[in-house]
Amino acid sequence: MLTYETGLWEQGYRLIAGIDEVGRGCLFGDVVAAAVILPEGLILDGIDDSKKLSEKKREALYELITGEAIAWAAARVNASVVDEINIKQAARLAMRQAVEQLGGVHPDYLLVDAEKVDLDIPQLAIIKGDALSQSIAAASIVAKVTRDRLCVGEWERMYPEYGIAIHKGYATKFHREKLLEYGPSPLHRKSFLGKLFVEQQVLF
């Protein structure tokens, strides 16, 4: 998990930020991205792509990552912006904002999960980077935990009828049924719903 980082350290880069996003495929809520700069040589036991980890493990690693990181940040882009500029561009915007919010710490290299960040910083897009780079995996975990906490906390309280805490905004059968019953909330991505409900001839 440190192959890419080690190669960059050997080239003289010191502030390497891993970047990833979550929520790209959701029908509801923000897309969330995180940027994480870990100290050179730090090894985090058990770190992996956030989707492969249990919630308990993600939460424990989140506390470890945010405690050990030189700098970290999470950024959110809401559903209305997703509808306006499309999900790919919204994810890239969230990634850029996460880097810009690193508290005055300026990374000298970016390792990004399968994307390009719109910043003039040397960077490498790595396919399945959250399974290959510790820095990207760390960002994946921070982004996932940040978004999940919104789902089970703020968003569930705002719209309990949709069961956001259960499915985290993804297109489960339960979520689709509740959308048909109640219609979309202000936090649903309208651009995602037409395709989903065309068979039921429901217009949102």
Side-chain angles (χ1 to χ4, degrees):
M1 293 285 278
L2 283 175
T3 300
Y4 290 100
E5 288 88 342
T6 299
L8 291 168
W9 290 326
E10 290 174 351
Q11 296 176 53
Y13 294 103
R14 290 296 174 264
L15 298 176
I16 301 165
I19 304 166
D20 200 3
E21 54 77 23
V22 297
R24 185 182 290 250
C26 295
L27 305 180
F28 175 99
D30 303 354
V31 60
V32 177
V36 176
I37 302 176
L38 296 172
E40 182 176 350
L42 176 69
I43 298 174
L44 296 174
D45 291 334
I47 198 166
D48 202 344
D49 171 7
S50 64
K51 296 184 292 296
K52 299 178 181 178
L53 301 172
S54 67
E55 180 180 355
K56 182 178 180 180
K57 183 66 173 177
R58 283 196 301 268
E59 287 282 348
L61 282 167
Y62 175 93
E63 297 301 331
L64 181 60
I65 291 162
T66 56
E68 295 285 348
I70 293 171
W72 67 275
R76 301 162 52 180
V77 171
N78 66 35
S80 63
V81 176
V82 171
D83 287 338
E84 180 181 350
I85 65 175
N86 76 49
I87 185 59
K88 179 178 177 64
Q89 296 307 318
R92 290 177 66 167
L93 175 59
M95 288 178 169
R96 189 187 81 201
Q97 291 177 343
V99 175
E100 293 173 338
Q101 293 171 19
L102 283 170
V105 179
H106 301 289
D108 48 22
Y109 205 97
L110 310 179
L111 293 175
V112 192
D113 187 38
E115 263 297 355
K116 174 177 171 54
V117 179
D118 298 319
L119 290 169
D120 188 21
I121 300 173
Q123 59 190 272
L124 178 65
I126 305 172
I127 304 299
K128 299 189 183 301
D130 47 10
L132 299 172
S133 160
Q134 178 176 264
S135 300
I136 297 175
S140 170
I141 290 165
V142 170
K144 174 68 172 166
V145 171
T146 298
R147 192 175 191 282
D148 281 359
R149 288 178 177 180
L150 287 166
C151 289
V152 302
E154 177 183 338
W155 293 341
E156 177 68 17
R157 289 192 297 271
M158 291 172 67
Y159 301 107
E161 64 270 27
Y162 298 101
I164 302 301
I166 301 169
H167 50 67
K168 308 299 192 295
Y170 287 92
T172 63
K173 182 175 183 290
F174 178 85
H175 192 184
R176 295 196 306 271
E177 289 173 350
K178 294 304 177 183
L179 271 165
L180 288 171
E181 182 177 355
Y182 295 108
S185 75
L187 295 188
H188 278 93
R189 301 173 186 175
K190 309 303 186 295
S191 56
F192 281 43
L193 301 184
K195 296 176 183 177
L196 184 65
F197 292 101
V198 67
E199 292 182 0
Q200 287 88 348
Q201 297 182 336
V202 177
L203 301 178
F204 294 128

